[in-house]
Amino acid sequence: MSIYKNILDAITRGEKLFAVLIDPDKFPVSRSEQFIKKVKASIATHIFVGGSTVSSGATEILVQAIKKHTHLPIVLFPGDVTQITDAADALLFLSLLSGRNPEYLIGKHVEAVSKLRNTNLEVIPTGYILIESGKETMVSRVTHTEAISRDDLQIVVDTAKAGELLGMQLMYLEGGSGAKTPITKNVIESVKNELNIPLIVGGGIRSMSQIEDTYSAGADIIVVGTAFEEDDELFEELKK
Ligand SMILES: CC(C)=CCC/C(C)=C/CC/C(C)=C/CC/C(C)=C/COP(=O)(O)OP(=O)(O)O
Ligand SMILES: O=P(O)(O)OC[C@@H](O)CO
Ligand SMILES: [Mg+2]
């Protein structure tokens, strides 16, 4: 069954989903087996692989290494076309809706097509909204776009809705990798109220209580990366 269909079915059953984000440039491949063991013992339902900048070829090597140890779906969360690899199961085909840089709204996508023709990846059109977190993020720097302010609630909501109306199948609210504080309840609730598609939330989530708050505000899928890079103790709290 398709990964997207599985997400929809899980949500219909009232389940919450959890993605562990692995950045190929920060994660030594030699750590894969031991790390994936912890992922498998946890509530994680998906593995996301990606980074705002990743050296060429690193994504494929990492995905192949992870695949040896798990059947969890591996979903590419790419900062660039170079991160596309057939070794993964699906691709978040991100469009950076918070920005006004055409390269990240449609340009990279046109470039990606010749690569995608030769893969079996499930492509999932995903709106990606960067919300200001108090410090400049790598995504802002790489894409030359500004994040939307947390106070511009109506703009965030309307941006997400516009993405849904354009046919996007997932909406990702990004608080910025390693953000000091995660996206607030108010922002998540307001977006969730307007949307009929699954909502992904990530950025700066580091504890079980933040995970619970983010789910209760309406996130369907939570993404955590930095917390596991800093210290994989969090897995202790996330045991199944
Ligand atoms: C269409 C294709 C295949 C590629 C372009 C995809 C687009 C539009 C991406 C949006 C902008 C972007 C650069 C997203 C990056 C997403 C990501 C993996 C963020 C995580 O960033 P980290 O690499 O963890 O950031 P740090 O390096 O700051 O930790
Ligand atoms: O690395 P963290 O802060 O967990 O954020 C996850 C993801 O949303 C970053 O793109
Ligand atoms: Mg990161």
Side-chain angles (χ1 to χ4, degrees):
M1 210 202 305
S2 86
I3 287 166
Y4 185 65
K5 178 89 172 38
N6 272 332
I7 292 173
L8 293 181
D9 289 353
I11 293 170
T12 306
R13 290 193 300 269
E15 294 168 17
K16 295 291 189 184
L17 302 165
F18 188 88
V20 175
L21 171 62
I22 308 180
D23 181 342
D25 261 6
K26 292 182 182 146
F27 186 87
V29 173
S30 58
R31 223 182 126 204
S32 303
E33 183 170 5
Q34 174 240 356
F35 186 81
I36 295 300
K37 221 182 204 169
K38 293 188 178 177
V39 173
K40 281 161 70 179
S42 80
I43 58 166
T45 53
H46 294 77
I47 296 173
F48 283 8
V49 176
S52 43
T53 54
V54 173
S55 47
S56 155
T59 305
E60 182 154 288
I61 293 169
L62 179 70
V63 172
Q64 283 165 345
I66 296 172
K67 267 235 152 129
K68 287 191 192 137
H69 306 293
T70 182
H71 295 297
L72 284 176
I74 301 179
V75 179
L76 299 174
F77 171 39
D80 201 62
V81 182
T82 51
Q83 294 175 38
I84 296 176
T85 164
D86 203 15
D89 301 304
L91 165 75
L92 299 184
F93 205 47
L94 303 171
S95 189
L96 183 61
L97 303 179
S98 49
R100 293 296 177 268
N101 181 346
E103 272 306 300
Y104 289 88
L105 284 162
I106 182 65
K108 301 278 180 192
H109 313 73
V110 175
E111 235 182 274
V113 170
S114 58
K115 279 194 129 182
L116 291 174
R117 272 200 197 99
N118 304 317
T119 75
N120 294 311
L121 285 169
E122 179 182 336
V123 177
I124 309 176
T126 303
Y128 189 52
I129 301 179
L130 181 61
I131 296 169
E132 161 271 316
S133 68
K135 62 170 189 182
E136 199 200 26
T137 60
M138 272 305 281
V139 174
S140 257
R141 210 176 314 158
V142 168
T143 62
H144 305 289
T145 67
E146 276 177 31
I148 303 178
S149 160
R150 289 184 188 204
D151 302 328
D152 287 336
L153 195 53
Q154 198 58 49
I155 296 181
V156 176
V157 171
D158 290 356
T159 303
K161 192 66 190 175
E164 180 178 293
L165 293 171
L166 277 166
M168 279 149 193
Q169 295 187 327
L170 293 173
M171 194 55 55
Y172 193 138
L173 293 183
E174 173 65 89
S177 178
K180 231 158 118 193
T181 53
I183 296 178
T184 54
K185 187 169 178 265
N186 188 25
V187 173
I188 300 169
E189 274 176 358
S190 309
V191 171
K192 181 66 183 177
N193 266 338
E194 284 268 350
L195 289 192
N196 301 302
I197 53 172
L199 183 61
I200 309 178
V201 179
I205 298 171
R206 291 185 172 78
S207 68
M208 195 59 200
S209 75
Q210 288 173 333
I211 291 172
E212 280 162 1
D213 290 350
T214 306
Y215 281 141
S216 66
D220 298 298
I221 307 177
I222 287 180
V223 184
V224 173
T226 304
F228 299 122
E229 284 165 13
E230 288 169 349
D231 173 1
D232 56 22
E233 265 308 285
L234 178 58
F235 279 123
E236 285 304 308
E237 285 185 69
L238 298 183
K239 283 202 174 131
K240 269 192 256 209

